[in-house]
Amino acid sequence: METKVWSLAERPERVAAVLGMTDSWPEVVLHDLVGNSHYGRIPAEFPEYVLFAEDEGGEVVAHAFSVPFALDVEGRGALPARGWDQVLAWAFSDLRSGTRTDTVSAISVVVAPQVQGGGLSARMLGAMRDQARAHGFTEVVAPVRPSAKHLEPRTPIEEYAHRVRPDGLPYDPWMRVHARAGATVERVAPASMTVVGSLEMWRGWTGLPFDTEGDVEVPGALVPVRCEPERDLAVYVEPNVWMRHAL
């Protein structure tokens, strides 16, 4: 399949097609309030950091979102434990205040289900790196959501994040794509996304009963969801893995 990669700054008329592309996000992450508040603003406020791939027929088949932010400033310095949520908040705060940015964070790479498995995710990651370099940055960081972790939700993330194959590459497929592009594992982000809802909300999202206290395994979730019927509350705190790409 022949594809061409553009930025929304170059092709702003394609924003609806980019946002409307079919994706495969698990239901559980669609209810993160920080993500919902910021993710949809990226095309309008950071169009040069939104890349998309078109196939021969002009259909959008992949996109990659990233944001610039200031890491080397007072009160920051280290990649945050709150991962994805925190870096989104920092990026939009820095934009409002006019703070000089020094780092680009990957936010997402999404490939349409019908073309997955063809290496397009690696190409989009490479294009993201190239775009950051073209804007004068020397590093891209990524709060990586390990793509196979949902298959073993009770495995501690620290163990999973540092698991490698005999060839030395990460065990996880998506982490492996980053490693092949030159990234190294920095640290775990133990609370990268947080989803909180009533039990009725969780029943609607998952189709599961959510009527017993304890940990509930939810399809697509990287760790179990904590259910507390006495409080009519369930909480999902998703860990990600920070990886650094030197450019």
Side-chain angles (χ1 to χ4, degrees):
M1 179 182 66
E2 293 293 328
T3 59
K4 185 169 178 59
V5 177
W6 306 85
S7 75
L8 274 184
E10 298 170 299
R11 301 278 307 280
E13 78 282 0
R14 297 299 281 155
V15 63
V18 170
L19 293 175
M21 189 195 84
T22 302
D23 62 52
S24 55
W25 287 107
E27 181 72 21
V28 67
V29 305
L30 301 180
H31 305 284
D32 170 37
L33 292 181
V34 175
N36 286 345
S37 298
H38 294 88
Y39 188 83
R41 297 169 54 195
I42 297 173
E45 300 187 52
F46 295 109
E48 64 272 35
Y49 295 95
V50 177
L51 307 175
F52 65 94
E54 285 183 335
D55 66 11
E56 304 97 319
E59 181 180 0
V60 174
V61 292
H63 57 68
F65 286 29
S66 60
V67 292
F69 74 103
L71 181 59
D72 188 20
V73 295
E74 185 177 355
R76 300 183 188 178
L79 294 173
R82 291 188 61 208
W84 200 76
D85 283 354
Q86 185 68 75
V87 80
L88 280 169
W90 280 349
F92 283 97
S93 175
D94 292 344
L95 180 65
R96 286 195 307 273
S97 65
T99 299
R100 181 181 178 276
T101 56
D102 54 39
T103 307
V104 171
S105 177
I107 295 299
S108 66
V109 174
V110 180
V111 177
Q114 70 272 18
V115 295
Q116 289 178 0
L120 197 48
S121 61
R123 183 179 178 196
M124 297 305 293
L125 180 60
M128 182 188 295
R129 287 166 47 97
D130 291 344
Q131 187 79 335
R133 187 184 297 108
H135 281 84
F137 293 96
T138 60
E139 182 177 55
V140 170
V141 297
V144 177
R145 185 176 198 272
S147 60
K149 176 66 172 68
H150 68 101
L151 299 175
E152 43 184 293
R154 295 185 184 269
T155 299
I157 186 62
E158 286 282 0
E159 174 188 330
Y160 187 89
H162 294 96
R163 187 187 302 169
V164 296
R165 306 190 311 179
D167 61 5
L169 289 170
Y171 168 83
D172 183 80
W174 185 221
M175 290 180 63
R176 198 157 57 243
V177 172
H178 281 265
R180 283 177 170 147
T184 57
V185 173
E186 172 79 4
R187 60 176 295 196
V188 164
S192 198
M193 300 181 189
T194 301
V195 179
V196 181
S198 69
L199 301 189
E200 189 60 33
M201 293 167 70
W202 278 99
R203 291 172 189 132
W205 297 337
T206 67
L208 300 173
F210 272 91
D211 55 6
T212 303
E213 182 171 359
D215 292 338
V216 180
E217 294 185 16
V218 169
L222 305 191
V223 296
V225 177
R226 183 66 183 178
C227 177
E228 298 187 6
E230 287 190 4
R231 302 173 63 191
D232 187 29
L233 186 72
V235 181
Y236 174 64
V237 181
E238 176 169 295
N240 289 168
V241 181
W242 277 114
M243 299 186 73
R244 287 184 180 268
H245 293 254
L247 302 179

